Amino acid sequence: MKDVRVRFAPSPTGNLHIGGARTALFNWLFARHNNGKLILRVDDTDLERSTGDSMKAILDGLKWLGIDWDEGPLYQSKRLEMYKKYADELVIQGKAYYCFCTKEELDIMRSEAQKAGKPSMYTGKCRNLSPDEVKKYMDEGKKYVVRLKVPKEGKTVVHDIIRGDVEFDNSTFDDFIIMKSDNMPTYNFATVIDDYDMEISHIIRGEEHLSNTPKQILIYEALGFEKPEFAHVSMILAPDRSKLSKRHGATSVQEFRDLGYLPEAIINYITLLGWVPSDGEEVFTTEKSVREFTLDRVSKNPAIYDTKKLTWLNGIYIRDCDIDRLTKEVIPFLISKGLIGDEYDYDYIRKIVSAVREREKTLSEIADAMSYYFKDDFLYDEKGVKKYFEKDGVENILREAIKALKAVDDFNLIETENAYRDLIERLNIKSGDLFHPTRLAISGRTFGPGLFDIMELLGKEKTVERIEKAIKYIESIKQK
Ligand code: GLU
């Protein structure tokens, strides 16, 4: 196989979405597996829709995911002269032509085709203009585009590594535009020139581009360029098999970052949108996917986008994450939720993260699960109140609990537990009669980390204060 050179070529007209991220990732995996190069090219010839903000968002998204590139970013908007040069050359060779048809003329062609029940195609009106006519129109300053002379007969076959041969009848194409009247290349033309110029060996992109590929092949043939290999990765559909859209929840990498997903979970998840390792395991490292990634094992079937699976994976990566890294990832969420300020006790936060992480699936959920360590004014879980606080005699048990806890000198996990065990024996109650209301009193919740872990982290003063406050609350509801 010749040197592998692939490219990711985003149009900077929005955020990095799941589909784009997957295209970037599959190119990256393929490059890394083959010791090849990934080139980042920016398809920014649509000057009106391309923005610097979008470019920044895409680059940030790639970097955050850990998708690095070897060359670029190369901007199409800086290569305009080259496209023009090639277009002019095609005209000189008689493989393309200047077309001076006005919008009105094209509208007439379209409506006539419609009337005849035919697909609306350019009729080839300017295909055979004489050099004199061309000169005359140019001298008059008439606007023109450049169109490729497409063969009227025969077929164009896309040899696709994933899909096999896909045939297109040339009769379904008209003489399509390669240069617009503002001297900008069309997507198909600029892509071919760049892919050739950048010596791209394999074009890996979404299935939505499959219908562009025969046109690009016709351009390769007109220019006499050697063609690269093609691989079109399947569509990503919503769980109900409809087209993926905003109503299916977050779809951009940025949104997932803001919701508290880890990049490695997203990478694992989007790899699964079309590929699985040979052992069929769904949780794997990037080292493994790089080692095993080949295009012939990429699925032909549409991938189904399922955020539940992503969230499940994220939970796994959170549980396995190094505690210091996880703490650092959680801190911005604590700050943005107003739970801590810019100055904080790192070690304390680290301990809490370690206590709560087990049950949580996103960084944001971890931060929420930590809220009662930083806030005293939490609400009590309603069901918990009914079950534990409304029970007869619970306030007396909690009063005894306060006494017992106040007597603990070294307020740690073991000593607090000992104090509680003694109390249970002395009062001859079930452990739940003491544990459940205490948990609700000090955290507002009915579940969470070990009760004595919470006590140790809160410290004696806070623990006692919160139980006192709960007793008052219980008394107030019982008076009603
Ligand atoms: N700029 C195009 C896109 O974002 C690139 C398509 C291609 O890879 O050729 O869809």
Side-chain angles (χ1 to χ4, degrees), residues 436-457:
H436 294 315
T438 305
R439 175 185 290 283
L440 190 60
I442 64 176
S443 73
R445 300 172 191 224
T446 54
F447 58 85
L451 182 63
F452 304 104
D453 290 285
I454 304 179
M455 286 197 194
E456 183 180 320
L457 284 165

mmCIF file of all heavy atoms in Angstrom, residues 436-457:
data_model
loop_
_atom_site.group_PDB
_atom_site.id
_atom_site.type_symbol
_atom_site.label_atom_id
_atom_site.label_comp_id
_atom_site.label_asym_id
_atom_site.label_seq_id
_atom_site.Cartn_x
_atom_site.Cartn_y
_atom_site.Cartn_z
ATOM 1 N N HIS A 436 -31.192 5.681 58.520
ATOM 2 C CA HIS A 436 -31.957 6.364 57.462
ATOM 3 C C HIS A 436 -32.289 7.813 57.820
ATOM 4 O O HIS A 436 -32.020 8.713 57.017
ATOM 5 C CB HIS A 436 -33.229 5.585 57.118
ATOM 6 C CG HIS A 436 -32.954 4.255 56.482
ATOM 7 N ND1 HIS A 436 -32.027 4.089 55.486
ATOM 8 C CD2 HIS A 436 -33.481 3.026 56.716
ATOM 9 C CE1 HIS A 436 -31.986 2.807 55.123
ATOM 10 N NE2 HIS A 436 -32.857 2.136 55.865
ATOM 11 N N PRO A 437 -32.871 8.050 59.004
ATOM 12 C CA PRO A 437 -33.159 9.465 59.327
ATOM 13 C C PRO A 437 -31.892 10.304 59.451
ATOM 14 O O PRO A 437 -31.897 11.490 59.104
ATOM 15 C CB PRO A 437 -33.916 9.399 60.648
ATOM 16 C CG PRO A 437 -33.765 8.031 61.163
ATOM 17 C CD PRO A 437 -33.411 7.137 60.028
ATOM 18 N N THR A 438 -30.810 9.711 59.901
ATOM 19 C CA THR A 438 -29.568 10.497 59.997
ATOM 20 C C THR A 438 -29.105 10.914 58.609
ATOM 21 O O THR A 438 -28.747 12.070 58.358
ATOM 22 C CB THR A 438 -28.447 9.679 60.676
ATOM 23 O OG1 THR A 438 -28.894 9.221 61.946
ATOM 24 C CG2 THR A 438 -27.198 10.526 60.849
ATOM 25 N N ARG A 439 -29.122 9.965 57.698
ATOM 26 C CA ARG A 439 -28.691 10.282 56.327
ATOM 27 C C ARG A 439 -29.531 11.408 55.731
ATOM 28 O O ARG A 439 -29.011 12.361 55.149
ATOM 29 C CB ARG A 439 -28.795 9.027 55.457
ATOM 30 C CG ARG A 439 -28.481 9.265 53.995
ATOM 31 C CD ARG A 439 -28.715 8.042 53.162
ATOM 32 N NE ARG A 439 -27.729 6.996 53.432
ATOM 33 C CZ ARG A 439 -26.475 7.002 52.977
ATOM 34 N NH1 ARG A 439 -26.040 8.004 52.243
ATOM 35 N NH2 ARG A 439 -25.651 6.025 53.259
ATOM 36 N N LEU A 440 -30.836 11.290 55.920
ATOM 37 C CA LEU A 440 -31.723 12.319 55.389
ATOM 38 C C LEU A 440 -31.435 13.671 56.060
ATOM 39 O O LEU A 440 -31.443 14.715 55.407
ATOM 40 C CB LEU A 440 -33.182 11.890 55.628
ATOM 41 C CG LEU A 440 -34.265 12.705 54.941
ATOM 42 C CD1 LEU A 440 -34.098 12.683 53.430
ATOM 43 C CD2 LEU A 440 -35.657 12.156 55.312
ATOM 44 N N ALA A 441 -31.151 13.624 57.346
ATOM 45 C CA ALA A 441 -30.890 14.863 58.086
ATOM 46 C C ALA A 441 -29.606 15.542 57.630
ATOM 47 O O ALA A 441 -29.557 16.762 57.488
ATOM 48 C CB ALA A 441 -30.810 14.561 59.588
ATOM 49 N N ILE A 442 -28.572 14.756 57.373
ATOM 50 C CA ILE A 442 -27.291 15.418 57.079
ATOM 51 C C ILE A 442 -27.030 15.627 55.584
ATOM 52 O O ILE A 442 -26.159 16.402 55.219
ATOM 53 C CB ILE A 442 -26.087 14.685 57.743
ATOM 54 C CG1 ILE A 442 -25.889 13.271 57.182
ATOM 55 C CG2 ILE A 442 -26.244 14.636 59.262
ATOM 56 C CD1 ILE A 442 -24.647 12.569 57.764
ATOM 57 N N SER A 443 -27.797 14.934 54.730
ATOM 58 C CA SER A 443 -27.561 15.127 53.292
ATOM 59 C C SER A 443 -28.816 15.501 52.510
ATOM 60 O O SER A 443 -28.722 15.880 51.350
ATOM 61 C CB SER A 443 -26.959 13.849 52.685
ATOM 62 O OG SER A 443 -27.943 12.835 52.587
ATOM 63 N N GLY A 444 -29.972 15.343 53.129
ATOM 64 C CA GLY A 444 -31.225 15.615 52.418
ATOM 65 C C GLY A 444 -31.619 14.479 51.504
ATOM 66 O O GLY A 444 -32.640 14.538 50.833
ATOM 67 N N ARG A 445 -30.795 13.446 51.448
ATOM 68 C CA ARG A 445 -31.023 12.373 50.480
ATOM 69 C C ARG A 445 -31.230 11.020 51.154
ATOM 70 O O ARG A 445 -30.923 10.854 52.333
ATOM 71 C CB ARG A 445 -29.807 12.244 49.561
ATOM 72 C CG ARG A 445 -29.577 13.531 48.823
ATOM 73 C CD ARG A 445 -28.278 13.509 48.057
ATOM 74 N NE ARG A 445 -28.031 14.875 47.608
ATOM 75 C CZ ARG A 445 -27.613 15.198 46.403
ATOM 76 N NH1 ARG A 445 -27.355 14.265 45.526
ATOM 77 N NH2 ARG A 445 -27.437 16.460 46.076
ATOM 78 N N THR A 446 -31.711 10.079 50.362
ATOM 79 C CA THR A 446 -31.950 8.740 50.919
ATOM 80 C C THR A 446 -30.870 7.757 50.450
ATOM 81 O O THR A 446 -30.914 6.587 50.772
ATOM 82 C CB THR A 446 -33.330 8.212 50.470
ATOM 83 O OG1 THR A 446 -33.369 8.285 49.048
ATOM 84 C CG2 THR A 446 -34.448 9.035 51.068
ATOM 85 N N PHE A 447 -29.965 8.257 49.635
ATOM 86 C CA PHE A 447 -28.874 7.377 49.173
ATOM 87 C C PHE A 447 -27.637 8.238 49.015
ATOM 88 O O PHE A 447 -27.714 9.468 49.037
ATOM 89 C CB PHE A 447 -29.235 6.705 47.850
ATOM 90 C CG PHE A 447 -29.533 7.703 46.777
ATOM 91 C CD1 PHE A 447 -28.504 8.258 46.031
ATOM 92 C CD2 PHE A 447 -30.843 8.139 46.540
ATOM 93 C CE1 PHE A 447 -28.774 9.210 45.061
ATOM 94 C CE2 PHE A 447 -31.107 9.095 45.578
ATOM 95 C CZ PHE A 447 -30.075 9.626 44.844
ATOM 96 N N GLY A 448 -26.518 7.586 48.815
ATOM 97 C CA GLY A 448 -25.265 8.328 48.655
ATOM 98 C C GLY A 448 -24.130 7.506 49.199
ATOM 99 O O GLY A 448 -24.263 6.287 49.363
ATOM 100 N N PRO A 449 -23.017 8.139 49.497
ATOM 101 C CA PRO A 449 -21.875 7.393 50.027
ATOM 102 C C PRO A 449 -22.189 6.822 51.416
ATOM 103 O O PRO A 449 -23.250 7.103 51.976
ATOM 104 C CB PRO A 449 -20.783 8.451 50.144
ATOM 105 C CG PRO A 449 -21.262 9.640 49.411
ATOM 106 C CD PRO A 449 -22.736 9.568 49.357
ATOM 107 N N GLY A 450 -21.285 6.051 51.966
ATOM 108 C CA GLY A 450 -21.471 5.490 53.299
ATOM 109 C C GLY A 450 -21.778 6.588 54.309
ATOM 110 O O GLY A 450 -21.196 7.671 54.258
ATOM 111 N N LEU A 451 -22.702 6.302 55.217
ATOM 112 C CA LEU A 451 -23.143 7.312 56.186
ATOM 113 C C LEU A 451 -21.979 7.880 56.991
ATOM 114 O O LEU A 451 -21.895 9.088 57.218
ATOM 115 C CB LEU A 451 -24.178 6.672 57.113
ATOM 116 C CG LEU A 451 -24.784 7.586 58.162
ATOM 117 C CD1 LEU A 451 -25.551 8.724 57.516
ATOM 118 C CD2 LEU A 451 -25.712 6.790 59.092
ATOM 119 N N PHE A 452 -21.067 7.007 57.412
ATOM 120 C CA PHE A 452 -19.979 7.491 58.275
ATOM 121 C C PHE A 452 -18.907 8.212 57.476
ATOM 122 O O PHE A 452 -18.211 9.065 58.005
ATOM 123 C CB PHE A 452 -19.433 6.326 59.112
ATOM 124 C CG PHE A 452 -20.548 5.679 59.892
ATOM 125 C CD1 PHE A 452 -21.093 4.467 59.495
ATOM 126 C CD2 PHE A 452 -21.118 6.349 60.968
ATOM 127 C CE1 PHE A 452 -22.163 3.916 60.170
ATOM 128 C CE2 PHE A 452 -22.195 5.796 61.647
ATOM 129 C CZ PHE A 452 -22.733 4.582 61.255
ATOM 130 N N ASP A 453 -18.830 7.885 56.182
ATOM 131 C CA ASP A 453 -17.958 8.687 55.306
ATOM 132 C C ASP A 453 -18.472 10.112 55.253
ATOM 133 O O ASP A 453 -17.712 11.071 55.334
ATOM 134 C CB ASP A 453 -17.973 8.127 53.877
ATOM 135 C CG ASP A 453 -17.271 6.794 53.760
ATOM 136 O OD1 ASP A 453 -16.044 6.784 53.782
ATOM 137 O OD2 ASP A 453 -17.973 5.762 53.679
ATOM 138 N N ILE A 454 -19.795 10.233 55.100
ATOM 139 C CA ILE A 454 -20.372 11.587 55.027
ATOM 140 C C ILE A 454 -20.099 12.325 56.338
ATOM 141 O O ILE A 454 -19.685 13.485 56.325
ATOM 142 C CB ILE A 454 -21.901 11.540 54.771
ATOM 143 C CG1 ILE A 454 -22.216 10.738 53.495
ATOM 144 C CG2 ILE A 454 -22.467 12.948 54.659
ATOM 145 C CD1 ILE A 454 -23.706 10.626 53.190
ATOM 146 N N MET A 455 -20.329 11.645 57.467
ATOM 147 C CA MET A 455 -20.115 12.307 58.767
ATOM 148 C C MET A 455 -18.682 12.793 58.898
ATOM 149 O O MET A 455 -18.428 13.922 59.305
ATOM 150 C CB MET A 455 -20.415 11.323 59.890
ATOM 151 C CG MET A 455 -21.891 11.070 60.091
ATOM 152 S SD MET A 455 -22.097 10.331 61.714
ATOM 153 C CE MET A 455 -23.759 9.728 61.589
ATOM 154 N N GLU A 456 -17.749 11.900 58.559
ATOM 155 C CA GLU A 456 -16.341 12.284 58.705
ATOM 156 C C GLU A 456 -16.026 13.505 57.835
ATOM 157 O O GLU A 456 -15.354 14.437 58.273
ATOM 158 C CB GLU A 456 -15.429 11.107 58.335
ATOM 159 C CG GLU A 456 -13.960 11.447 58.532
ATOM 160 C CD GLU A 456 -12.998 10.315 58.185
ATOM 161 O OE1 GLU A 456 -13.298 9.149 58.494
ATOM 162 O OE2 GLU A 456 -11.940 10.613 57.615
ATOM 163 N N LEU A 457 -16.547 13.487 56.598
ATOM 164 C CA LEU A 457 -16.264 14.602 55.695
ATOM 165 C C LEU A 457 -16.918 15.906 56.159
ATOM 166 O O LEU A 457 -16.361 16.982 55.999
ATOM 167 C CB LEU A 457 -16.728 14.253 54.271
ATOM 168 C CG LEU A 457 -15.819 13.290 53.518
ATOM 169 C CD1 LEU A 457 -16.524 12.723 52.296
ATOM 170 C CD2 LEU A 457 -14.529 14.007 53.096
#
